[in-house]
């Protein structure tokens, strides 16, 4: 009172001190300042700084205090249990409720037969600290229906309360229900033993951080309608349906949360939600780590999903979504499963160590998968079924116990620049009617086959690298129809390309080199077309054609093999035209058994034994071939050989012609003029199409960098992409038994 300037102020303060209310010294000093310097009414000043102490001794003490407390009051709860049979409503701004000591005040709601929440906040600038709330209202059998009404705390309207270090339990309802356009801050709280921990709906935008939600029979947190806000660094544990359920058009940001033992899903994302989930962890007992369905379009990045009993990530219906830099480990089923018509984007994820496949697409699934590491899964790295059609680019698919990539049914997908290595089964397995497009992939060091195409499957395979696969680099079987264009196929101990069954394939411009056994083997009834390939330096034979095959082999360079450059046996009847066969460790061409075939305008040079050896009961048509020989002999015919051998040019050699007594072949040694045949030899050599030198070029108008060749000019001032970057569509593919590239 000594600070007052006149007697009227002194009288006011004297009146104040006689009040039945008690005040902190700081409040009295502040009131002195107000009264001393401003002529304000006494009553508002008292309301601004009023503290009300509430004792649990009287039933419904807190609800009574809230009904009478003016705005900007501070209710301090003394230690003990407050039993309330009436709802607690905060409708005036600035109300603060706190405990006299840390969480020593416990509020129990016994709202018999009522669906009302225990505590309802409808005003601005409300603060609730250090109190535990328990609502026992509602009936167990009505959990789903009452979960919104029998809440422990409801925050509504435009309120923006701060809820700090409190605990909430709703036996048969929701722990905290946040609705309308409210924007509370909920911090360091505990929500437990509720049907749903926290439900955010309407256009509410809360900040929820460092809060634990656990033992929830439904979900730890539900996000619905058009809610927003953030959920950060929270713990969600022991729920039945999911840790997080997001639906409607919710846009909430969830970061740094840990989801443990959520039973159903870690994240269940539905409707049109566009939530963002970043740096969360899902572990413990759960089925799917994240399940995104319907038309959701989420952003899911830098999360960890560990030991899912189902799949790590499931995307279904027409969901989209962007999944970046996540870690999915040790799932029981697929690491990532995409089905129906979902089209997600997955980039830079680690999908490792699952008991199923790494990535599985079924139905009409699509999407883009780029830069993912898919490794050490027990089944396939990537598995596709149904009508899946997606883009896979720049992925590393390695060390899987099954296939690297496995396709069946009517799959059509594009694979570009992937590394597929060290898988236990085939690097790429294509089955049934699947027809993928594969460009620029490296398929290497597999323990079986690099590329396996069988049944009625096919595909276009261009500029891939198949190397060091143990079984064979490429195996084409059944009635498959495949185009292999400008691939490099090398260093397999099991062989380069093996074509069996009734497979009909095109091999154009490939380099097949350094494979053991045969670089190219055609068996059974296979009818491939091989043109312009370089078949080089194998330990065994260059080309083997047996069975009843009717292969067409033209303009290939076959050079430097340990055994024969080309072997034709069984009852094969190939067409061999315009090839160069040279520097073989044995004969250049061997035709034996009951083989036939037409061999025209081929060139032979530098083969260690005969350029052409016809033996057994073989009956080929051998005409207009050229032998420029540096070896032991030219054309040799065995005892039972037949067929027609005419108009061939054989340069002088130790044994230019060598025929056994019983030869029945029609042999003509009359040849055309030497100069004309030499010209034909040069023409045949020139017909081998060299592999174009691939360079990185720049578009003259856009500056975009791309792969191309120096020989193809672009009208825009640069170099165009190679033709094989433009995959033919289904409508542009002619209806033939051989796919055209």
């Amino acid at each position: 009172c000594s600070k007052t300037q006149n007697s009227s102020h002194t009288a006011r303060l004297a009146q104040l001190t006689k009040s039945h209310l008690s005040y902190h010294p700081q409040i009295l000093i502040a009131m002195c300042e107000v009264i001393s310097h401003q002529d304000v009414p006494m009553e508002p000043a008292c309301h601004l700084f009023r503290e009300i102490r509430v004792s649990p001794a009287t039933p419904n003490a807190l609800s009574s205090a809230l009904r009478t407390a003016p705005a900007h009051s501070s209710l301090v709860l003394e230690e003990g249990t407050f039993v309330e049979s009436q709802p607690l409503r905060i409708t005036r701004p600035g109300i603060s409720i706190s405990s006299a000591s840390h969480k020593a005040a416990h509020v129990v709601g016994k709202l018999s037969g009522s669906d009302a929440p225990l505590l309802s906040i409808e005003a601005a600038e409300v603060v609730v600290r250090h109190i535990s709330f328990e609502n026992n209202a509602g009936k167990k059998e009505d959990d789903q229906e009452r979960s919104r009404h029998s809440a422990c705390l409801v925050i509504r309207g435009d309120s923006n309360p701060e809820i700090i270090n409190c605990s909430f339990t709703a036996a048969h309802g929701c722990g905290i229900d946040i609705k309308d356009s409210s924007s509370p801050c909920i911090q360091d709280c505990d929500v437990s033993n509720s049907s749903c921990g926290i439900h955010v709906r309407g256009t509410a935008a809360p900040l929820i951080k460092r809060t634990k939600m656990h033992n929830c029979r439904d979900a730890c947190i539900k996000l619905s309608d058009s809610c927003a806000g953030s959920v950060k660094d929270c713990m969600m544990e022991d729920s039945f349906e999911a840790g997080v359920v997001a639906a409607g058009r919710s846009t909430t940001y969830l970061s740094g949360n840990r989801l443990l033992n959520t039973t159903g899903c870690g994240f269940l994302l539905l409707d049109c939600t566009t939530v963002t989930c970043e740096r969360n962890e899902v572990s413990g007992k759960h089925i799917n780590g994240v399940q995104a369905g319907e038309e959701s379009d989420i952003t899911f990045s830098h999360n960890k999903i560990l030991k899912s009993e189902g799949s790590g990530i499931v995307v279904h219906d027409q969901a989209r979504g962007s999944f970046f830099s996540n870690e999915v480990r040790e799932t029981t089923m697929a690491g990532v499963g995409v089905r129906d018509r979902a089209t997600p984007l997955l980039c830079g994820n680690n999908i490792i160590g699952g008991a199923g496949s790494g990535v599985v697409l079924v139905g009409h699934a699509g999407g883009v998968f780029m830069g993912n590491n898919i490794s050490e899964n027990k089944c396939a790295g990537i598995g596709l079924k149904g009508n899946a059609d997606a883009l896979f680019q720049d992925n590393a698919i390695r060390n899987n116990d099954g296939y690297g990539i496995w396709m069946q049914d009517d799959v059509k997908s594009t694979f570009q620049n992937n590394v597929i290595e060290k898988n236990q089964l085939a690097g790429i397995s294509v089955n049934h009617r699947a027809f993928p497009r594969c460009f620029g992939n490296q398929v290497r060091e597999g323990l079986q086959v690099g590329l396996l195409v069988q049944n009625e499957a096919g595909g276009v395979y261009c500029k891939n690298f198949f190397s060091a696969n143990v079984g064979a680099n490429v195996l084409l079987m059944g009635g498959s129809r495949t185009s292999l264009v400008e691939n490099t196929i090398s260093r397999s101990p099991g062989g380069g390309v093996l074509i069996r069954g009734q497979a009909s394939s095109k091999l154009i411009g490939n380099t097949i080199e350094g494979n053991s056994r045969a670089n190219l083997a055609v068996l059974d009834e296979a009818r491939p077309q091989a043109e312009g390939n370089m078949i080089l330096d194998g330990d065994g034979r260059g080309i083997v054609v047996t069975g009843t095959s009717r292969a067409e082999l033209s303009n290939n360079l076959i050079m430097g093999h340990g055994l024969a450059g080309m072997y034709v046996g069984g009852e094969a009847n190939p067409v061999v035209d315009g090839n160069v066969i040279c520097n073989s460790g044995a004969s250049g061409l061997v035709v034996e058994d009951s083989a036939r075939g037409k061999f025209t305008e081929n060139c032979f040079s530098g083969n260690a034994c005969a350029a052409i050896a016809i033996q057994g009961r073989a009956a080929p048509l051998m005409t207009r071939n050229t032998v420029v020989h540096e070896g032991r002999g030219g054309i040799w015919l065995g005892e039972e050989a037949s067929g027609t051998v005419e108009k061939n040019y054989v340069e002088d050699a130790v044994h230019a012609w060598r025929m056994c007594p019983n030869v029945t072949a029609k042999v003509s040694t009359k040849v055309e003029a030497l100069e004309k045949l030499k010209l034909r030899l040069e023409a045949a050599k020139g017909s081998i199409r060299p592999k174009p030198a691939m360079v990185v070029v720049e578009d003259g108008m856009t500056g975009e960098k791309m792969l191309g060749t120096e020989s193809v000019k672009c009208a825009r001032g640069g170099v165009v992409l190679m033709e094989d970057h433009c995959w033919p569509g289904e409508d542009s593919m002619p209806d033939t038994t051989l796919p055209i590239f």
Side-chain angles (χ1 to χ4, degrees):
C1 293
S2 61
K3 293 187 177 182
T4 60
Q5 297 178 358
N6 55 56
S7 60
S8 63
H9 288 162
T10 304
R12 287 185 177 183
L13 287 173
Q15 180 184 5
L16 178 63
T17 56
K18 294 178 182 178
S19 172
H20 66 281
L21 301 175
S22 60
Y23 295 90
H24 289 300
Q26 295 92 328
I27 296 177
L28 287 172
I29 292 171
M31 293 177 67
C32 288
E33 295 291 336
V34 171
I35 296 172
S36 299
H37 296 93
Q38 300 182 27
D39 189 15
V40 295
M42 174 57 63
E43 202 60 22
C46 292
H47 290 173
L48 182 62
F49 300 101
R50 178 171 295 174
E51 177 182 289
I52 303 172
R53 300 189 71 87
V54 184
S55 170
T58 305
N60 297 315
L62 182 55
S63 57
S64 298
L66 285 173
R67 280 195 299 271
T68 60
H72 304 287
S73 296
S74 174
L75 278 67
V76 178
L77 308 189
E78 295 179 356
E79 182 175 347
T81 299
F82 293 77
V83 178
E84 302 290 333
S85 60
Q86 299 295 322
L88 309 176
R89 294 184 63 198
I90 301 177
T91 59
R92 299 180 184 89
I95 297 293
S96 170
I97 307 177
S98 61
S99 176
S101 58
H102 185 71
K103 281 191 179 179
H106 181 56
V107 180
V108 177
K110 294 187 176 181
L111 314 180
S112 177
S114 173
D115 290 339
L118 172 59
L119 174 62
S120 174
I121 299 176
E122 306 171 30
E125 301 178 9
V126 172
V127 178
V128 181
R129 297 174 182 266
H130 307 304
I131 302 173
S132 64
F133 295 89
E134 179 181 348
N135 187 9
N136 293 319
K139 297 180 180 179
K140 186 174 182 180
E141 61 268 21
D142 295 333
D143 274 358
Q144 294 295 326
E145 194 64 31
R146 293 177 179 267
S147 62
R148 291 187 176 183
H149 306 289
S150 303
C152 191
L153 167 63
V154 170
I155 302 169
R156 63 183 64 178
D158 296 325
S159 60
N160 59 344
E162 292 185 18
I163 314 296
I164 301 172
N165 206 2
C166 296
S167 64
F168 299 89
T169 298
H172 309 300
C174 180
I176 302 176
D177 187 6
I178 305 170
K179 57 196 293 187
D180 301 333
S181 56
S182 60
S183 55
C185 173
I186 299 174
Q187 178 177 321
D188 298 313
C189 292
D190 186 288
V191 184
S192 65
N193 297 310
S194 306
S195 60
C196 173
I198 298 177
H199 189 180
V200 186
R201 52 197 177 109
T203 57
L207 170 59
I208 304 171
K209 59 182 180 180
R210 297 193 302 274
T211 291
K212 183 175 182 180
M213 294 157 268
H214 58 105
N215 297 104
C216 301
R217 294 182 299 281
D218 191 355
C220 289
I221 185 167
K222 281 188 176 181
L223 310 169
S224 61
D225 301 330
S226 297
C227 70
S230 299
V231 181
K232 297 182 177 180
D233 303 320
C234 295
M235 179 71 181
M236 305 174 198
E237 184 177 2
D238 294 327
S239 61
F240 181 76
E241 181 183 4
V244 176
V245 176
R249 297 185 179 275
S250 52
T251 60
T252 306
Y253 175 72
L254 300 104
S255 173
N257 303 290
R258 187 179 178 198
L259 288 70
L260 178 65
N261 297 326
T262 54
T263 308
C265 297
F267 293 88
L268 179 58
L269 311 171
L270 306 169
D271 297 335
C272 299
T273 183
T274 57
V275 297
T276 298
C277 305
E278 183 176 294
R279 303 187 188 283
N280 304 285
E281 180 179 307
V282 181
S283 61
K285 182 179 178 60
H286 64 279
I287 297 175
N288 297 326
V290 54
Q291 182 172 327
E294 298 179 5
E295 297 182 1
S296 60
D297 189 3
I298 68 167
T299 301
F300 196 82
S301 67
H302 297 91
N303 301 283
K304 286 185 178 181
I305 301 174
L306 308 176
K307 297 185 177 181
S308 301
E309 295 178 5
S311 296
I313 297 173
V314 176
V315 190
H316 60 94
D317 294 331
Q318 300 183 54
R320 292 174 292 170
S322 300
F323 299 79
F324 296 99
S325 304
N326 300 289
E327 184 174 323
V328 181
R329 286 184 176 270
E330 300 181 38
T331 58
T332 300
M333 300 178 69
V336 175
V338 184
R339 58 184 173 85
D340 306 327
R341 297 183 182 274
T343 55
L345 168 63
L346 280 86
C347 296
N349 301 284
N350 287 311
I351 304 165
I352 300 172
S357 296
V359 176
V360 174
L361 276 67
V362 299
H364 288 82
V368 176
F369 301 78
M370 298 180 64
N372 301 289
N373 175 29
I374 306 168
S375 61
E376 300 177 12
N377 297 286
K378 295 297 182 182
C379 295
I382 297 174
L384 297 95
K385 296 178 65 176
N387 296 91
D389 191 352
L391 169 63
F392 294 85
Q393 181 170 323
D394 298 321
N395 301 286
I397 305 158
R398 53 169 63 98
N399 296 319
N400 296 288
D401 289 354
Y403 301 99
I405 299 172
W406 168 74
M407 290 168 268
Q408 70 173 55
D409 301 331
D410 296 288
V411 165
K412 294 178 179 64
S413 290
T414 300
F415 299 86
Q416 296 184 166
N417 303 324
N418 301 286
V419 175
I420 305 161
E421 64 180 356
K422 298 180 180 179
N423 297 288
Q424 296 286 327
L425 301 180
I428 301 176
S429 177
V430 188
N431 308 276
H432 297 169
R433 299 166 301 280
F435 198 94
R437 303 165 293 274
C438 298
F439 169 81
N441 302 286
Q442 298 184 45
V443 185
R444 61 195 185 200
E445 300 179 26
L447 297 186
Q448 290 193 6
V449 177
L451 170 64
L452 171 63
V453 186
Q454 60 184 341
N455 308 127
E456 302 299 320
V460 178
Y461 306 84
C462 181
K463 289 186 173 63
N464 302 286
F465 295 84
F466 299 94
S467 63
N469 295 287
V470 174
N473 275 320
V474 178
L475 173 58
L476 312 177
M477 303 175 61
S480 60
R481 44 196 174 85
T482 306
S483 293
L484 295 171
V485 182
E486 296 187 5
N487 301 282
T488 299
I489 302 167
S490 63
R491 299 186 301 109
S492 170
V497 179
L498 175 59
I499 307 175
R500 303 200 60 168
Q502 297 178 330
S504 55
S505 305
K506 279 185 173 291
L507 289 78
I508 301 173
N510 301 285
T511 297
I512 307 173
E513 60 182 349
N515 299 284
S516 299
R517 302 175 75 174
N519 268 324
L520 171 60
V522 184
L523 312 178
D524 306 327
E525 303 174 54
R527 298 185 59 178
Q529 297 178 353
E531 180 178 356
N533 302 284
M534 294 195 293
I535 302 171
L536 312 172
D537 302 324
D539 294 341
R541 296 171 171 131
I543 298 178
V544 172
V545 184
T546 66
T548 58
S549 171
R550 301 185 64 181
E552 298 180 18
L553 310 170
S554 61
N555 297 323
N556 301 288
L557 172 61
I558 305 162
M559 181 173 69
H561 293 88
L563 300 177
M566 181 183 296
Y567 173 88
V568 181
E571 297 180 0
N573 188 12
V575 175
V576 182
D577 178 71
N579 301 281
V580 173
I581 304 174
C582 57
N583 300 338
S584 302
S587 298
L589 169 63
V590 175
V591 185
E592 65 176 13
D593 299 331
S594 300
R596 293 172 295 163
K598 182 179 180 181
F599 301 81
T600 59
E601 298 189 359
N602 300 287
C603 299
F604 300 84
S605 176
N607 298 290
C609 296
I612 301 171
I614 305 171
Q615 52 198 39
R617 298 184 181 85
L621 170 60
M622 196 78 59
T623 182
R624 297 194 303 278
N625 298 286
T626 302
V627 179
V628 180
H629 211 285
E630 299 172 1
R632 293 171 52 197
I635 300 178
W636 295 358
L637 283 73
E639 291 185 356
E640 300 181 16
S642 61
T644 300
V645 182
E646 62 181 5
K647 296 184 180 180
N648 300 284
Y649 169 71
V650 182
E651 192 176 56
D652 290 339
V654 176
H655 301 289
W657 291 89
R658 175 173 165 179
M659 292 175 285
C660 294
N662 297 327
V663 170
T664 59
K666 298 179 181 179
V667 179
S668 170
T669 59
K670 181 179 179 180
V671 297
E672 300 176 16
L674 178 59
E675 292 301 321
K676 185 181 292 187
L677 286 167
K678 286 184 176 180
L679 290 174
R680 182 176 292 122
L681 173 61
E682 294 301 322
K685 289 182 178 179
S687 68
I688 300 298
R689 183 174 61 146
K691 287 181 69 66
M694 299 301 295
V695 295
V696 177
V697 296
E698 188 172 294
D699 189 294
M701 294 182 64
T702 66
E704 181 182 0
K705 291 185 177 181
M706 57 189 76
L707 282 175
T709 64
E710 296 181 355
S711 62
V712 183
K713 295 294 181 180
C714 178
R716 288 149 55 108
V719 177
V720 299
L721 291 170
M722 293 301 295
E723 290 180 352
D724 42 46
H725 284 259
C726 304
W727 305 105
E730 285 187 277
D731 295 339
S732 65
M733 298 288 285
D735 186 15
T736 64
T737 56
L738 292 173
I740 305 299
F741 175 74

